[in-house]
Amino acid sequence: MRDDGIDILFDLSGHTSGHRLDVFARRAAPLQLTWIGNPGSTGLQTMDYMVLSDLLLDGHAVRQQLTENMLRLPLAYVFEGGIHSEPVAPLPALRNGYLTFGSFNRLVKVNREVVAVWSQVLRAVPDARMAIGACEPSGPPPHLREWLQEEGIEEQRVRFISRTHFGAYMKAHADIDICLDTFPFSGGVVTNHALWMGVPTLTLTGELLCGRQSAEVLARVGLAGDFAARNLPELLRLARHWSNHLEQLSAIRQALRPVLQAQESGQAAMVAQALAQGVRQAWVRWCEGKPAADLSVSYQDLGLEPPQMLSIATESAAVAG
């Protein structure tokens, strides 16, 4: 890399399998950035920047997590929902008469505390049901059933869905009204998939970057205020609120995909333009002998308008409480 004169080097793995962080630790290029691979710091003093969204990242706690400087963009990734053609189904609660919560996150994210919170949601909405996906064909792990039993959740209130092919996974959202998130590692791609199928996710916005993924996804369509809770009491208030506002939830369900489709057409170009401008800022600093520093690119910098948000007026968490 040094012989080839590489000026700017990107890491797209972070601390995931097969990463090459040892190369970045040796300062293979003058300017080094990490992006997309893992929602957390590399911990390397030689990694100059982490490319991040401009949403929900303010706060001292987030800044303390990073050894990198932040390069914040209006869009930090692209979700191409249009490749998934499964239609959005009507809100199942309208035919069932009760909410069905669901989770399609990998079961490794479902720890004992997550089950305790899910159980509190089910107790707060006594007639609700829960569907838990990503299970083996032989059924859920024994500890998952045990935790639900310890929480006093009746067996008939929880349905387990086996891991299956992608089309069936997307279609399974037809029976889910609202997804319940995991923590401290929240959903990312699964939250996007759910929104594409008209299903918002109730999430606890964490302090860690990995705990803010779902909240960021919801913010991109204007739903963070109604589905991203700051604490457990707020999460329970929101769950009760939506159990009593099924018509509004149904309207959101049918409106989500058109909003996402409207955003989708220009996403890739916007990310490319924003990234190019941000990297240019970082490179100019290096050429001028200045140390790396937090940088950002705005919609105004790009000469663009912010993307369309969900136009349905939803009540805020404060009103719901």
Side-chain angles (χ1 to χ4, degrees):
M1 290 179 187
R2 288 171 178 160
D3 290 345
D4 288 341
I6 301 299
D7 295 312
I8 302 171
L9 187 63
F10 276 88
D11 160 56
L12 301 179
S13 298
H15 286 283
T16 62
S17 178
H19 68 77
R20 294 293 181 268
L21 293 181
D22 51 344
V23 174
F24 290 84
R26 289 171 171 81
R27 181 58 78 178
L31 188 62
Q32 304 191 143
L33 304 93
T34 184
W35 185 31
I36 294 176
N38 183 55
S41 176
T42 63
L44 297 178
Q45 298 297 329
T46 53
M47 192 70 74
D48 301 298
Y49 294 93
M50 173 173 279
V51 180
L52 294 167
S53 163
D54 62 345
L55 295 172
L56 301 170
L57 293 173
D58 291 316
H60 185 60
V62 171
R63 193 67 195 83
Q64 282 188 315
Q65 297 170 39
L66 307 179
T67 55
E68 304 86 358
N69 295 279
M70 295 189 292
L71 174 54
R72 297 174 59 176
L73 310 179
L75 281 177
Y77 68 89
V78 173
F79 174 71
E80 295 184 340
I83 64 175
H84 313 307
S85 59
E86 186 68 35
V88 175
L91 188 77
L94 293 180
R95 68 171 187 269
N96 294 331
Y98 56 80
L99 279 181
T100 300
F101 295 106
S103 171
F104 294 103
N105 275 290
R106 289 177 295 156
L107 293 185
V108 69
K109 295 183 180 181
V110 182
N111 55 51
R112 183 65 181 86
E113 191 176 357
V114 167
V115 172
V117 167
W118 287 356
S119 299
Q120 289 195 58
V121 171
L122 291 175
R123 288 193 288 270
V125 187
D127 61 348
R129 304 290 191 272
M130 178 84 190
I132 301 176
C135 297
E136 296 296 332
S138 57
H143 68 260
L144 189 51
R145 289 188 185 274
E146 292 171 4
W147 292 344
L148 289 163
Q149 290 172 358
E150 291 169 4
E151 292 291 335
I153 302 302
E154 297 88 344
E155 189 173 337
Q156 63 269 24
R157 296 185 68 188
V158 181
R159 177 168 59 94
F160 298 100
I161 303 173
S162 297
R163 187 183 297 114
T164 182
H165 62 85
F166 189 81
Y169 151 63
M170 295 296 279
K171 192 173 182 178
H173 289 84
D175 296 319
I176 307 299
D177 296 292
I178 298 175
C179 283
L180 291 181
D181 211 357
T182 52
F183 60 89
F185 205 114
S186 67
V189 174
V190 293
T191 307
N192 277 294
H193 284 156
L195 282 185
W196 183 254
M197 298 306 297
V199 183
T201 295
L202 268 180
T203 185
L204 277 171
T205 306
E207 292 295 336
L208 299 175
L209 285 177
C210 65
R212 296 181 173 217
Q213 297 180 107
S214 289
E216 177 191 323
V217 172
L218 290 164
R220 296 215 175 278
V221 292
L223 288 180
D226 295 285
F227 291 92
R230 293 162 293 184
N231 51 53
L232 179 56
E234 186 175 331
L235 186 79
L236 299 179
R237 287 198 302 271
L238 289 171
R240 287 190 291 263
H241 170 78
W242 291 115
S243 70
N244 294 318
H245 291 78
L246 297 184
E247 292 294 341
Q248 195 175 24
L249 188 60
S250 177
I252 291 172
R253 187 182 186 94
Q254 295 305 318
L256 269 170
R257 185 172 295 183
V259 169
L260 292 169
Q261 288 173 323
Q263 293 182 4
E264 189 177 55
S265 60
Q267 279 189 106
M270 189 182 298
V271 172
Q273 186 179 350
L275 183 64
Q277 193 168 133
V279 171
R280 171 60 62 185
Q281 290 182 39
W283 180 244
V284 168
R285 287 190 66 86
W286 187 87
C287 291
E288 292 175 349
K290 297 177 181 178
D294 289 345
L295 302 173
S296 65
V297 176
S298 67
Y299 286 107
Q300 185 177 6
D301 294 332
L302 300 175
L304 299 172
E305 292 294 325
Q308 176 186 346
M309 296 291 184
L310 201 66
S311 59
I312 295 172
T314 58
E315 296 183 39
S316 68
V319 175

